[in-house]
Amino acid sequence: GTILNEEYDTDPLLWQKIDHLIKRGVRVSMVTARAFSFCEHLFCNFSKDSMHAFDNGNSIWKIGAKYPNFSRYINKRVVLKILLLLRNVDCRFGFSTGKVFWVNNNYFKEIKSYYRKGEFKLFNGNSLNASVSSIWIKDLDEIFYKKLKMIIKKTNISIHEDRKLKKRSIFLHSNKSGKGKAVEYLRKIYGLKTKELLYIGDGIGDIEVADFVGLLCGVGNSDKEFSKEANYISSKKYSHGVIEIIDRMT
């Protein structure tokens, strides 16, 4: 996610740095709140046997796999109630069903101009059969926000807000997992020790990872709360900050 936030401006040197790490035997994985489909085009930059966590750690995939190695889904009945509510709201929303990210018409009009074709599909309100691992909602007004909170009360759903945006933007996912647990899952799969792990993040959602890694680092554009918890914050932003951290820590 640290890279994806400003992917259009990613320094090509970053991928050279990552490739060098992989050739040295370092395991490199993505751990992001974003859906699988928005990250699949980056797989060519990682080793073929690597694993990556999406949907805030609720979906873990090995490159080339047809199905996730690990997944946590939102209760189907609750998902249907949320989608029924959103049909009457003038907002943008999308949801992940594993390899596919579905968006409503409002969201479709926006993201088709900057996301790659095939990374998302238009949801026309038809019945939903697939399991949902995360839901994104943007521009939600206060009235419907309160109704939404009533729906998810006492369910297995966690709610996160993007405080950097002026209008209310929220992210819903199962509370049974998270980025921290995803990192721990990857650590065990790779056969590594906690002290051997270095994590690079930038937001509040990355703070929980601190208990599962040896070093928690952040880029120069990191959230203030995250910066307080990190062991190191780079002087540079986005991909340039990641490069700085790689150079300093390796």
Side-chain angles (χ1 to χ4, degrees):
T2 303
I3 299 171
L4 290 166
N5 286 339
E6 294 291 336
E7 187 186 347
Y8 67 89
D9 193 35
T10 298
D11 190 331
L13 178 61
L14 172 61
W15 302 120
Q16 295 178 30
K17 295 283 185 181
I18 289 177
D19 183 61
H20 181 63
L21 289 175
I22 293 172
K23 288 179 178 178
R24 288 173 53 190
V26 177
R27 291 287 192 172
V28 183
S29 294
M30 290 184 284
V31 178
T32 176
R34 300 197 182 216
F36 175 98
S37 60
F38 292 134
C39 309
E40 190 175 10
H41 65 282
L42 297 176
F43 285 178
C44 60
N45 298 296
F46 298 89
S47 58
K48 293 181 180 179
D49 64 340
S50 62
M51 299 180 69
H52 308 272
F54 309 101
D55 298 312
N56 209 59
N58 284 278
S59 181
I60 299 178
W61 294 75
K62 182 177 181 179
I63 290 181
K66 292 184 178 180
Y67 304 100
N69 289 66
F70 171 88
S71 59
R72 293 281 190 184
Y73 299 110
I74 299 174
N75 181 281
K76 282 190 176 182
R77 289 185 179 180
V78 179
V79 170
L80 292 175
K81 286 182 180 180
I82 293 173
L83 294 180
L84 185 61
L85 171 69
L86 294 177
R87 287 176 62 180
N88 303 310
V89 184
D90 184 22
C91 68
R92 296 170 290 162
F93 73 84
F95 54 90
S96 172
T97 57
K99 284 193 173 183
V100 181
F101 189 76
W102 300 87
V103 296
N104 72 334
N105 193 54
N106 287 354
Y107 210 171
F108 181 83
K109 292 177 182 178
E110 174 197 345
I111 66 176
K112 70 178 182 180
S113 63
Y114 56 84
Y115 275 125
R116 295 167 178 78
K117 186 177 181 180
E119 292 186 343
F120 58 90
K121 292 184 179 181
L122 179 63
F123 178 64
N124 55 18
N126 290 339
S127 59
L128 179 67
N129 295 319
S131 297
V132 173
S133 50
S134 66
I135 302 175
W136 297 76
I137 309 172
K138 297 185 177 183
D139 308 330
L140 191 64
D141 64 35
E142 196 63 27
I143 294 176
F144 283 100
Y145 176 65
K146 290 180 179 179
K147 290 183 178 181
L148 178 66
K149 292 192 74 173
M150 288 298 295
I151 291 175
I152 67 175
K153 188 177 181 181
K154 296 182 179 180
T155 67
N156 71 329
I157 298 177
S158 287
I159 180 169
H160 295 276
E161 292 190 47
D162 190 336
R163 302 178 186 179
K164 296 179 181 179
L165 301 178
K166 292 182 180 180
K167 294 185 177 180
R168 193 182 292 278
S169 177
I170 61 176
F171 171 56
L172 306 173
H173 63 84
S174 169
N175 59 15
K176 300 296 182 180
S177 190
K179 290 183 177 180
K181 291 181 179 179
V183 168
E184 180 68 359
Y185 180 92
L186 293 174
R187 181 190 70 77
K188 292 178 179 179
I189 290 293
Y190 289 148
L192 299 171
K193 298 178 181 179
T194 299
K195 65 180 182 181
E196 296 177 301
L197 303 186
L198 183 151
Y199 183 92
I200 302 175
D202 62 4
I204 296 175
D206 297 308
I207 295 176
E208 66 179 85
V209 179
D211 295 331
F212 300 92
V213 298
L215 282 175
L216 181 66
C217 301
V219 289
N221 54 287
S222 295
D223 182 273
K224 290 182 179 179
E225 289 186 39
F226 171 80
S227 297
K228 292 178 182 178
E229 301 297 327
N231 301 112
Y232 176 80
I233 297 294
S234 67
S235 60
K236 298 178 181 178
K237 300 178 180 181
Y238 302 109
S239 65
H240 303 288
V242 177
I243 292 172
E244 178 187 321
I245 293 169
I246 292 175
D247 288 340
R248 185 177 179 85
M249 301 300 171
T250 60

